[in-house]
Amino acid sequence: MSKRGVVLALFAAALFGNAPSAAAVNPAAKPSAARPASQPRDWARTVTMTPQGSYVLGNPLAKVRIVEYLSMTCTHCAHFTGESLRPLTDNYVRKGLVSIEVRHAIRDSLDVAATLLARCGGAKPFFGNVEALMAAQDNWVRNAVTFQEADKGAAGKLPLNQALAAFAHGAGLDRIMAARGVSAARANACLTNKTEQDRLVAMAQEAWSARQIPGTPAFLLNGTLVAGASSWASLEPKLKDALR
């Protein structure tokens, strides 16, 4: 196991002990002005929440519905987000053909902290938050490794909310969110939100125990697990097939 893997395993142990056992609403939406009859709807502006708390970008009734099981500390997930979000949004989601739902397959407490901050602010900023955090993943994971080495495991012995705040600050996640307009007080409120914490645990249980995904990222296409697709290059052809 790499040095980074050892540190992430320590984070996981700090929060979970071992590996996880694990009506659509848009609270940020406001009435929009009427569109001319000839102007199609831009579905890339629509983000809804499922009853389980996951967020969906695009038309909830799209012909093709993608579910991505995502971990914020997963390098392959960061790569997929970086290469896919723009073409997926511009070529498919915006037109109402495809929607993408993100379900969190958390793996460690650094993952939990990053995910809680990505969800800070609700539906409207969520996908932008994920994109920003994933783009900077190398930096904040490196910071987390340095913090963990200097801290010598002390943060992992703190109560959960204090530990999450310590990990977020040590990794610099709070500074990334501050640049996106999230105050320190707001970030702390998101990190300590028990309802959100419970949602992440429930999603992890669904992903790892009930669905038994092979790893992250993993994808469902109209409810069926897609085998061997961990990149945009491997997923897009299956997406095109499903649209025919």
Side-chain angles (χ1 to χ4, degrees):
M1 182 181 291
S2 67
K3 182 179 181 182
R4 169 175 164 153
V6 170
V7 172
L8 291 182
L10 289 173
F11 278 122
L15 185 63
F16 294 112
N18 293 312
S21 63
V25 295
N26 184 357
K30 296 180 181 179
S32 57
R35 298 184 303 279
S38 59
Q39 182 178 342
R41 176 167 181 169
D42 181 359
W43 283 102
R45 297 178 178 271
T46 299
V47 183
T48 54
M49 178 188 280
T50 70
Q52 293 73 34
S54 54
Y55 289 120
V56 180
L57 177 66
N59 179 2
L61 300 179
K63 179 178 180 180
V64 175
R65 296 177 298 281
I66 300 171
V67 173
E68 178 186 4
Y69 287 95
L70 175 146
S71 161
M72 295 298 293
T73 55
C74 162
T75 56
H76 294 295
C77 297
H79 181 72
F80 179 81
T81 298
E83 68 176 0
S84 72
L85 191 57
R86 294 307 167 187
L88 175 59
T89 300
D90 293 342
N91 299 332
Y92 300 99
V93 173
R94 196 178 303 282
K95 299 173 184 178
L97 301 173
V98 174
S99 65
I100 180 163
E101 174 188 346
V102 169
R103 297 181 189 173
H104 302 289
I106 52 174
R107 307 184 304 171
D108 49 74
S109 53
L110 179 60
D111 193 351
V112 174
T115 303
L116 289 169
L117 291 176
R119 293 173 62 86
C120 201
K124 186 175 181 180
F126 172 73
F127 284 89
N129 288 344
V130 169
E131 186 176 23
L133 287 165
M134 286 305 208
Q137 187 197 70
D138 281 349
N139 290 332
W140 54 262
V141 169
R142 189 181 306 113
N143 291 341
V145 170
T146 301
F147 166 75
Q148 180 74 0
E149 290 174 341
D151 182 65
K152 300 187 185 303
K157 299 175 184 178
L158 295 171
L160 174 61
N161 288 341
Q162 294 179 38
L164 290 174
F167 296 152
H169 182 69
L173 291 168
D174 52 353
R175 294 186 288 279
I176 296 172
M177 296 305 296
R180 292 188 57 77
V182 178
S183 68
R186 178 62 181 151
N188 187 66
C190 291
L191 288 167
T192 59
N193 186 317
K194 182 66 164 54
T195 297
E196 285 290 288
Q197 292 172 0
D198 289 346
R199 278 177 175 156
L200 298 193
V201 171
M203 284 191 218
Q205 291 172 338
E206 189 272 332
W208 298 113
S209 297
R211 179 74 60 177
Q212 295 186 340
I213 61 171
T216 55
F219 301 93
L220 303 180
L221 203 61
N222 288 342
T224 300
L225 188 66
V226 181
S230 61
S231 68
W232 178 237
S234 59
L235 183 65
E236 188 179 21
K238 300 179 187 300
L239 183 61
K240 289 180 176 179
D241 288 344
L243 283 170
R244 289 178 181 149

